[in-house]
Amino acid sequence: IAAGATGSVHFVSAQKDAEFKIENVKISPDGMSYTLTEGEEETPISLSVAGDFNIYNTAEAAAAASLLGFDKAEIAASAFPV
């Protein structure tokens, strides 16, 4: 899909090198948290819901918001706060 894209392509991943990297995933009785790293910038994300898919969904939404110029603190606060 990426090879056929006509616009810019950005990758979000916990498994390989990507422009947006999911790191430091933690699971607790209250939910989950992770760090979304873009270059040297780290954005902590806390979720009050469970499920790995929620990490990927919020990471992709946060990456899109970052590319659109939203403030990292605003992105972190707008996920699914604990």
Side-chain angles (χ1 to χ4, degrees):
I1 294 174
T6 57
S8 57
V9 177
H10 304 273
F11 292 95
V12 177
S13 179
Q15 305 300 322
K16 62 177 185 167
D17 289 334
E19 183 177 353
F20 295 90
K21 182 86 169 142
I22 299 166
E23 301 179 309
N24 306 317
V25 174
K26 296 184 176 110
I27 300 169
S28 75
D30 295 326
M32 302 181 301
S33 64
Y34 66 93
T35 302
L36 186 63
T37 303
E38 177 187 4
E40 297 294 318
E41 290 187 71
E42 295 182 347
T43 303
I45 307 284
S46 295
L47 308 173
S48 60
V49 294
D52 289 345
F53 62 93
N54 287 313
I55 291 175
Y56 284 98
N57 289 345
T58 57
E60 290 162 359
S66 178
L67 291 167
L68 290 169
F70 283 84
D71 179 71
K72 302 287 193 269
E74 187 176 0
I75 292 169
S78 67
F80 292 97
V82 174

